Amino acid sequence: MAILVVGSVGYDTVETAAGSRKDALGGSATFFSVSGSYFAPVGMVAVVGEDFTTESVDLLKAHEVDVSGLQRAPGKTFRWSGVYGRDDVNSRETLDTQLNVFADFDPRLSPDHRSLPYLFLANIDPELQLNVLGQMEERPKLVAADTMNFWIDGKMEALNEVVRSVDVLFVDENEIRQLAAAHVGAVNVVRAARFIQNMGPETVIVKRGDHGLIQFMGDSIFAAPAYPLDTVVDPTGAGDSFAGGFVGYLAATGDLGPEAFRRAAVVGSVMGSFAVESFSVERLGALKQTDIAARFRDFGNISQFAPLQSNETLPWRDGAAAL
Ligand code: AMP
């Protein structure tokens, strides 16, 4: 089943411990679409400016992303720049965000897009996320969303409405604390996630960079590590690639049960791990199915342990009192 994504498409200028890139193809919808395209058809709703290159459009087309909802407007394409900590890939500072053509974007969904069963509201102005959700013919089977501190700081009201309207919310550790703090003061990640779940989304996925993720679904919790990599070249887009793999897997199987959500989270982690092995979508966009499947299997191996059988207990020391 097909997925519709609304999000940013733009050019990123990044500096990491591995080097730097100027004006590399990026944006939340770009990473999401390329990642999700391995599993399900993806249609994109976004806007670019006159300076958006044919090579960039061709790359999306090469992944069979439906770009009929990618409008071209007079002006410059969205731009973001950031720098990552030399020793800590999880620390990122945004140097500049230029919305450019996104500042006046008025998304118009085609009749085909309005009836797609999976909707991902990627990181973009929450008013645009709501606008797209409002144009859907009927409530999609699954609505998931992502955001960023930029919008928590600047568009809290609209963002609250987004949070109330979705089934799945992806957030990073700092963002969820910031989001919950605006309502209930400082709380730890578990309490923050529980608070956000009470606002609406049944599932909250807290992304913890190279520490992995925690998935809160109803009353249950699932934790997965990040795939251990020798070298992280550029963490940009890890979150959106995670979301692409996650929603892509669910859309491909049509299964929205708890086991499918756990697998989806691991597929997401696999896709995020590929995204950070290069700048832009260079590695993410050049994968073979066998690469993805091998890493997924590996993931099972690195996080597997023998659970206690029902007739088994831990090896207590001799003579210890049974407490
Ligand atoms: P991630 O690393 O997954 O959080 O996503 C990074 C991508 O989000 C980059 O490719 C940026 O172009 C894009 N981005 C950064 N800031 C914003 C923003 N305020 N709104 C929308 N997209 C953004």
Side-chain angles (χ1 to χ4, degrees):
M1 282 294 206
I3 309 165
L4 184 68
V5 55
V6 57
S8 55
V9 172
Y11 290 121
D12 295 338
T13 296
V14 290
E15 200 186 312
T16 78
S20 59
R21 274 296 157 89
K22 193 175 180 321
D23 285 340
L25 177 62
S28 52
T30 305
F31 284 102
F32 178 90
S33 305
V34 172
S35 173
S37 69
Y38 288 95
F39 303 97
V42 184
M44 162 189 275
V45 178
V47 64
V48 292
E50 290 147 330
D51 55 349
F52 197 66
T53 65
T54 329
E55 291 82 55
S56 300
V57 180
D58 288 347
L59 188 140
L60 295 169
K61 284 186 180 162
H63 284 270
E64 295 179 26
V65 176
D66 166 10
V67 290
S68 62
L70 182 66
Q71 296 176 23
R72 200 178 275 271
K76 277 182 79 178
T77 298
F78 172 82
R79 273 180 175 68
W80 174 80
S81 76
V83 54
Y84 291 84
R86 296 232 141 234
D87 307 315
D88 177 10
V89 290
N90 297 329
S91 93
R92 159 164 95 188
E93 190 194 342
T94 290
L95 299 177
D96 192 24
T97 304
Q98 293 172 22
L99 294 178
N100 296 330
V101 287
F102 265 108
D104 301 310
F105 181 41
D106 180 17
R108 296 273 159 84
L109 268 58
S110 70
D112 283 350
H113 286 162
R114 281 171 207 254
S115 57
L116 291 179
Y118 294 83
L119 176 63
F120 183 60
L121 308 170
N123 174 25
I124 193 68
D125 186 334
E127 285 173 13
L128 290 178
Q129 294 177 316
L130 289 172
N131 177 323
V132 166
L133 178 59
Q135 290 186 52
M136 298 307 279
E137 219 162 66
E138 53 185 46
R139 178 78 170 49
K141 195 171 162 188
L142 186 90
V143 181
D146 190 9
T147 190
M148 204 173 174
N149 49 3
F150 186 84
W151 305 111
I152 302 175
D153 293 336
K155 292 264 176 111
M156 194 61 177
E157 274 313 300
L159 186 57
N160 282 337
E161 191 54 38
V162 171
V163 173
R164 283 193 283 267
S165 313
V166 303
D167 304 303
V168 182
L169 184 71
F170 301 100
V171 265
D172 81 20
E173 200 165 346
N174 295 325
E175 289 159 6
I176 194 164
R177 284 222 189 85
Q178 196 185 343
L179 202 54
H183 301 273
V184 286
V187 283
N188 70 29
V189 167
V190 177
R191 281 177 186 236
R194 293 295 186 212
F195 177 82
I196 300 297
Q197 279 184 299
N198 283 333
M199 285 176 73
E202 199 208 349
T203 303
V204 172
I205 298 179
V206 182
K207 299 170 290 179
R208 303 174 63 233
D210 69 351
H211 301 306
L213 67 93
I214 315 180
Q215 173 171 269
F216 298 83
M217 184 185 195
D219 292 335
S220 79
I221 296 184
F222 171 64
Y227 189 79
L229 291 171
D230 258 10
T231 314
V232 170
V233 173
D234 175 12
T236 307
D240 307 301
S241 308
F242 172 90
F246 184 96
V247 180
Y249 177 82
L250 295 179
T253 60
D255 182 356
L256 298 182
E259 285 308 318
F261 265 59
R262 287 178 179 222
R263 264 201 168 179
V266 175
V267 172
S269 298
V270 166
M271 300 312 284
S273 75
F274 284 122
V276 305
E277 286 186 300
S278 72
F279 287 100
S280 185
V281 291
E282 283 159 21
R283 173 97 170 106
L284 185 72
L287 297 171
K288 296 197 189 70
Q289 290 175 349
T290 48
D291 299 327
I292 302 172
R295 196 166 281 189
F296 183 83
R297 281 181 206 286
D298 233 18
F299 226 99
N301 294 333
I302 60 167
S303 51
Q304 196 180 32
F305 65 95
L308 286 178
Q309 303 298 317
S310 54
N311 60 351
E312 205 186 359
T313 181
L314 290 172
W316 308 119
R317 66 185 268 199
D318 286 345
L323 296 175

